[in-house]
Amino acid sequence: MNIGVDLGGTKIKAGVELNGTVIKQETILLKQKDSLSSTLQQLIELIRPLMAYSVSSIGIGVPSVVDTEKGIVYDVANIPSWERVELKDILQEQFGIPVFVNNDVNCFALGEYRFGVAKGFHSVVGVTTGTGLGSGIIIDDELYVGNNCGAGEIGLLPYLDKNFEYYASNNFFEAIHGITALEANHAAIAGDKHAIALWQKFGIHLGAALKAILYVYDPEAIVLGGSLAKAYPFFETGMYQELNDFSFPQSLKRLKIFQSKDENIALLGAAALIPQELKNYALKD
């Protein structure tokens, strides 16, 4: 058994993973985000009761750039006090078991590959769309993070007059159309034609981002997650409309696109960092 932690800008989830299932889970809202000591203490107290189980290690996904070898996180999104935190050392000293740290979207991709809808595929890109647009990459059954844990930042690639993230995240609704994605989703469910049209346009922009992913990584499967992915039925048509002019139609025919189904998949992916990392160390030795 391993502990997986999904640290977000507003809440933290932690759970004990056994054979791909969360058997015990704890969740807290993050308070006093301007205080490093306070937020770290909240994290420690969340994990502490889970140590009653026979756990081997702790894996944690964080919305930031991560030095995965040293377990240092930098400039964590929406937690201003986390500019540079030696998270691995802090938690290992506190609990006395190995700790592994990675980016949260990487954990999402790893979770889908190991336990979720992409299980059985060898190359997978997990895409999360919500406040931003991020992706995690599995290549030949290995999590690929790049030299600085920056691989997969598709959202920051130039697109139209800005970048993919501006048009394929909640920014599309708030900054351009003055409505939240949640409001747009509720309106579309109620049959509002304007909201339905907005989601179609959003799907076109997301489809353009997926084409960039296909050209760069050519995966077997793409998994869509994040808060906006819940509106998949409303943007699916627009997304495929944009994908239809992909230059390699046979590749597109073989591609599988899934909607994420498990709310705890990033937590499970964080727990799965342990065997993944240990495997990498063993190969180096």
Side-chain angles (χ1 to χ4, degrees):
M1 290 185 286
N2 300 297
I3 293 175
V5 181
D6 182 14
L7 189 149
T10 58
K11 65 181 180 180
I12 314 174
K13 295 197 297 184
V16 177
E17 176 269 329
L18 176 63
N19 298 325
T21 301
V22 178
I23 61 172
K24 176 65 177 177
Q25 182 175 325
E26 303 284 348
T27 304
I28 59 167
L29 293 176
L30 200 55
K31 302 176 182 178
Q32 298 176 307
K33 293 191 288 185
D34 290 330
S35 169
L36 176 59
S37 60
S38 175
T39 49
L40 282 172
Q41 193 60 36
Q42 290 173 66
L43 174 61
I44 289 168
E45 293 306 316
L46 182 70
I47 294 172
R48 193 179 304 282
L50 302 179
M51 294 297 296
Y53 293 79
S54 299
V55 294
S56 302
S57 305
I58 299 169
I60 179 167
V62 184
S64 71
V65 172
V66 179
D67 181 331
T68 55
E69 289 190 12
K70 297 180 180 179
I72 303 172
V73 302
Y74 299 93
D75 301 315
V76 177
N78 297 313
I79 309 179
S81 59
W82 286 44
E83 295 180 357
R84 184 186 184 277
V85 183
E86 297 183 5
L87 193 57
K88 178 186 178 80
D89 287 348
I90 291 169
L91 294 181
Q92 284 188 167
E93 181 178 352
Q94 183 69 220
F95 296 112
I97 59 175
V99 174
F100 300 92
V101 187
N102 213 304
N103 174 266
D104 58 343
V105 186
N106 289 340
C107 291
F108 167 77
L110 185 59
E112 293 291 0
Y113 160 74
R114 288 289 305 277
F115 309 116
V117 294
K119 187 176 182 179
F121 292 91
H122 303 289
S123 60
V124 177
V125 175
V127 177
T128 60
T129 173
T131 304
L133 179 70
S135 63
I137 304 151
I138 305 293
I139 298 176
D140 293 334
D141 300 305
E142 297 285 348
L143 178 63
Y144 178 73
V145 300
N147 189 44
N148 300 291
C149 199
E153 292 293 347
I154 297 297
L156 300 183
L157 290 177
Y159 174 64
L160 300 180
D161 60 328
K162 296 190 182 294
N163 57 27
F164 283 120
E165 183 167 272
Y166 187 80
Y167 288 95
S169 71
N170 198 46
N171 288 319
F172 171 76
F173 296 94
E174 292 191 356
I176 301 176
H177 298 286
I179 185 174
T180 68
L182 182 61
E183 290 168 338
N185 190 37
H186 287 161
I189 291 171
D192 184 280
K193 292 182 179 179
H194 176 66
I196 292 171
L198 283 184
W199 281 109
Q200 289 289 323
K201 291 179 182 178
F202 170 83
I204 290 171
H205 295 310
L206 182 61
L210 297 190
K211 280 198 294 189
I213 289 173
L214 292 174
Y215 285 125
V216 175
Y217 298 111
D218 189 25
E220 296 173 279
I222 294 174
V223 185
L224 301 177
S227 58
L228 272 64
K230 296 174 183 177
Y232 183 74
F234 294 117
F235 66 75
E236 179 183 12
T237 301
M239 180 187 73
Y240 275 107
Q241 176 185 324
E242 179 65 22
L243 284 170
N244 279 337
D245 68 351
F246 184 65
S247 298
F248 310 117
Q250 292 304 315
S251 298
L252 190 61
K253 287 180 181 179
R254 291 194 291 271
L255 174 70
K256 302 296 183 183
I257 299 179
F258 301 107
Q259 179 186 13
S260 181
K261 302 296 184 183
D262 192 334
E263 292 286 339
N264 287 324
I265 203 67
L267 187 155
L268 289 169
L273 286 171
I274 291 92
Q276 182 78 19
E277 294 286 353
L278 290 177
K279 179 180 178 182
N280 289 343
Y281 292 147
L283 288 173
K284 290 177 184 178
D285 293 339

